């Protein structure tokens, strides 16, 4: 009998983590789906609460291929956000990140997009980071027609 769902499950369908707490594969899958669905991928605990966490190979073993891909993507997102030498490429549609070597200001993404590592925007030679978006805005606004700054809050509207 599984200690989580209390179902009678064949012994061949019982699995455990390194802590040796055994549960049925269905309960492992549900536990992984719940945690990964909530974005909790850095530490997915054993269902017994013993302090042992699922490792990447456990997620691969007990979860579906789609769930494992989702797990890896969430984990990568967190890893990039926590690493001071990594930033996401700002090019629309690009899912890559860039890595800074030494103290570079300009880095190039695998997609070919040049990125200012300081502010994370597209590379802006000779323009201060705080003014970098103005050029893109001006180009965009010229194509939109009647774009104005709100006199009360300053937000650009059209």
């Amino acid at each position: 009998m599984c200690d989580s769902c209390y179902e009678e499950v064949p012994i061949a369908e019982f699995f455990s983590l390194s802590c040796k707490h055994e549960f049925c594969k269905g309960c492992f899958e549900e536990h992984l789906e719940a945690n990964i669905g909530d974005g909790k991928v850095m530490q997915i605990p054993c269902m017994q609460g013993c302090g042992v966490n699922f490792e990447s190979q456990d997620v691969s073993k007990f979860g579906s291929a789609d769930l494992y891909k989702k797990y890896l993507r969430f984990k990568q997102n967190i890893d990039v956000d926590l690493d001071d030498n990594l930033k996401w490429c700002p090019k629309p549609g690009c899912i890559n990140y860039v890595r800074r070597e030494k103290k570079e200001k300009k880095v190039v993404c695998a997609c070919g997009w040049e990125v200012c590592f300081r502010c994370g925007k597209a590379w802006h030679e000779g323009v201060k980071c705080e003014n970098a978006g103005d050029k893109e805005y001006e180009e965009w606004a010229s194509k939109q027609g009647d774009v104005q700054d709100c006199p009360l809050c300053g937000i650009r509207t059209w």
Side-chain angles (χ1 to χ4, degrees):
M1 178 185 298
C2 175
D3 286 338
S4 181
C5 66
Y6 302 108
E7 296 284 329
E8 290 294 334
V9 180
I11 195 79
E13 292 184 26
F14 275 88
F15 298 94
S16 67
L17 301 177
S18 62
C19 58
K20 306 296 183 211
H21 291 123
E22 293 186 332
F23 299 96
C24 69
K25 188 170 194 268
C27 285
F28 269 140
E29 287 173 348
E30 287 181 20
H31 183 65
L32 288 173
E33 286 173 6
N35 278 272
I36 294 168
D38 288 342
K40 299 175 184 172
V41 296
M42 298 310 280
Q43 292 185 334
I44 302 174
C46 168
M47 293 181 290
Q48 196 70 27
C50 65
V52 170
N53 292 308
F54 281 76
E55 301 292 332
S56 181
Q57 64 269 17
D58 299 322
V59 177
S60 175
K61 180 178 179 181
F62 300 119
S64 67
D66 286 342
L67 187 65
Y68 186 59
K69 285 179 189 174
K70 187 175 188 178
Y71 164 79
L72 291 176
R73 186 71 182 151
F74 278 170
K75 191 154 176 9
Q76 180 186 44
N77 289 347
I78 293 169
D79 290 342
V80 170
D81 291 344
L82 293 176
D83 189 328
D84 291 337
N85 290 310
L86 301 176
K87 282 199 187 291
W88 291 106
C89 177
K91 181 179 179 181
C94 182
I95 60 169
N96 298 316
Y97 59 89
V98 293
R99 180 182 303 277
R100 174 177 59 178
E101 302 296 330
K102 301 178 187 167
K103 293 292 179 187
E104 296 173 293
K105 291 181 184 172
K106 178 175 145 181
V107 292
V108 180
C109 180
C111 72
W113 196 265
E114 294 179 336
V115 180
C116 172
F117 201 85
R118 184 168 174 245
C119 67
K121 297 177 184 174
W123 180 247
H124 46 87
E125 184 74 40
V127 177
K128 292 182 179 182
C129 289
E130 55 269 12
N131 300 328
D134 291 343
K135 180 181 174 190
E136 288 99 10
Y137 166 71
E138 295 299 333
E139 288 174 11
W140 173 82
S142 69
K143 296 174 187 170
Q144 301 304 313
D146 189 25
V147 178
Q148 301 174 359
D149 292 345
C150 172
L152 298 175
C153 68
I155 298 229
R156 296 168 178 166
T157 62
W158 77 93

